[in-house]
């Protein structure tokens, strides 16, 4: 109440200077609104449209030696520097994709190797290829937790600055899920988030691993498995897989 009386008295004592202050405040408000209208909104900035948001999840468990891990990097680097893959990226409605790469092994061992990158030109694709080729191995050993890899990957989509017509996890592995939560839990987590999971089964140690991926790993509209007989074969298989993932139509 005392504040109200004091304010009223002040208004009576200084009508001219208060009028000037009101006018200045109004001018600042109008200018502020104009700046808000002219500046890009935070929503727009956080939803850069792309054709697909793609998580590349590489097996870095104990069953993968250094040479085999390097073959995974080489295969991905060659794929993104391939003219046909670059043409596929430019062939979508938005002519752009977003990519991140991570390594996984045990239930508690995952690491992002390359943060989200916008790929919208041959130059940006070649830059990603070089970054992949030079990427160090961040997870050296561990069990095989495909389920934990999915639990780790799904939240990465919400944390990026892109809005893709599809959200896809491209997971490569050479063994069964043997650590952490069940494969059913991991797959249901991805399915519930509307994320597509595609698999690349490297069958150098486990026969019919592709069948296991079909039954327990992949999920979502148009999801698929590609098999590689060994890590040498991975180099060719990952290119085929990326072409198929990039060219897939939007989910209706």
């Amino acid at each position: 109440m005392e504040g109200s009386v004091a304010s009223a008295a002040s208004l009576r004592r200084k009508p001219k200077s208060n009028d000037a202050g009101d006018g200045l405040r109004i001018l600042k408000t109008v200018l502020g609104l104009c700046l808000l209208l002219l500046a890009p909104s935070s929503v727009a900035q956080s939803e850069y449209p792309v054709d697909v948001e793609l998580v590349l999840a590489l097996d870095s468990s104990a069953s993968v030696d250094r040479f085999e891990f390097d073959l995974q990097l080489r295969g991905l680097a060659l794929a993104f520097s391939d003219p046909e893959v670059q043409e596929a990226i430019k062939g979508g409605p938005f002519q752009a994709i977003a990519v991140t790469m991570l390594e996984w092994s045990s239930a508690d061992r995952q690491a992002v190797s390359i943060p989200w990158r916008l790929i919208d030109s041959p130059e940006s694709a070649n830059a990603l290829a070089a970054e992949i080729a030079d990427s160090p191995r961040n997870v050296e050993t561990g069990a095989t937790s495909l389920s934990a890899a999915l639990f780790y990957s799904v939240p990465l989509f919400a944390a990026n600055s892109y809005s893709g017509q599809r959200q896809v996890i491209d997971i490569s592995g050479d063994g069964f899920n043997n650590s952490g939560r069940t494969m059913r839990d991991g797959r249901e987590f991805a399915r519930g988030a509307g994320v597509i999971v595609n698999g690349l089964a490297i069958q150098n140690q486990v026969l019919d691993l592709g069948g296991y991926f079909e039954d327990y790993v992949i999920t979502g509209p148009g999801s698929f498995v590609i098999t590689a007989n060994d890590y040498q074969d991975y180099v060719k298989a990952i290119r085929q897989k990326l072409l198929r993932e990039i060219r897939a139509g939007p989910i209706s």
Side-chain angles (χ1 to χ4, degrees), residues 50-54 56 76 79-99 119 125 128 165-166 168 170 196 198 222 224 238-250:
V50 294
D51 295 304
V52 60
E53 301 165 60
L54 184 62
L56 303 171
L76 283 168
F80 279 104
S81 60
D82 184 88
E84 189 174 359
V85 172
Q86 295 175 2
E87 184 180 349
I89 293 170
K90 295 300 291 181
F94 295 110
Q95 300 185 358
I97 66 173
V99 180
I119 312 302
L128 176 63
Q165 293 188 309
R166 291 169 290 122
V168 178
D170 177 330
I196 298 167
N198 297 324
F224 64 92
I238 192 62
R239 176 184 177 276
Q240 296 171 343
K241 191 164 187 279
L242 286 173
L243 282 171
R244 189 166 170 181
E245 286 167 333
I246 294 167
R247 287 171 172 165

Side-chain angles (χ1 to χ4, degrees), residues 57-61 103-105 109-110 144-146 149 171-172:
L58 307 187
D59 188 346
S60 195
S61 62
E103 301 168 34
W104 60 270
S105 63
R109 304 195 70 181
Q110 303 88 25
T144 300
S145 187
L146 288 153
I171 188 164
S172 302

Side-chain angles (χ1 to χ4, degrees), residues 199-203 208-211 225-230 233-234 237 240:
L200 200 165
I202 306 166
Q203 301 184 139
D208 197 30
L209 185 62
V225 175
I226 286 183
T227 60
N229 294 326
D230 52 32
D233 196 30
Y234 171 94
Q240 296 171 343

Side-chain angles (χ1 to χ4, degrees), residues 121-139:
S121 66
E123 291 76 17
S124 57
N126 288 331
L128 176 63
E131 193 172 6
I132 292 172
D134 291 337
S135 179
R137 185 170 184 172
N138 298 298
V139 177

Side-chain angles (χ1 to χ4, degrees), residues 33-110:
L33 289 172
C34 289
L35 289 173
L36 285 173
L37 291 172
L38 291 172
S41 71
S42 59
V43 173
Q45 289 177 341
S46 66
E47 296 182 351
Y48 191 98
V50 294
D51 295 304
V52 60
E53 301 165 60
L54 184 62
V55 172
L56 303 171
L58 307 187
D59 188 346
S60 195
S61 62
S63 61
V64 182
D65 64 29
R66 182 68 221 197
F67 176 70
E68 291 168 338
F69 183 79
D70 286 345
L71 282 174
Q72 290 184 82
L73 297 182
R74 180 169 176 263
L76 283 168
L78 287 172
F80 279 104
S81 60
D82 184 88
E84 189 174 359
V85 172
Q86 295 175 2
E87 184 180 349
I89 293 170
K90 295 300 291 181
F94 295 110
Q95 300 185 358
I97 66 173
V99 180
T100 186
M101 188 178 81
L102 64 89
E103 301 168 34
W104 60 270
S105 63
S106 303
D108 60 346
R109 304 195 70 181
Q110 303 88 25

Side-chain angles (χ1 to χ4, degrees), residues 57 104-105 107 144-154 169 171-173 175-192 197-199 209 211-219:
W104 60 270
S105 63
T144 300
S145 187
L146 288 153
S147 59
L150 297 187
F151 275 108
Y152 185 85
S153 297
V154 168
I169 298 171
I171 188 164
S172 302
F176 300 142
N177 188 71
N178 61 20
S179 173
R181 297 176 66 173
T182 68
M183 200 60 246
R184 178 178 179 179
D185 288 342
R187 184 170 64 173
E188 287 303 312
F189 182 66
R191 178 182 294 168
V197 180
N198 297 324
L209 185 62
Y212 175 82
F213 271 55
E214 288 275 2
D215 293 339
Y216 299 104
V217 179
I218 67 170
T219 187

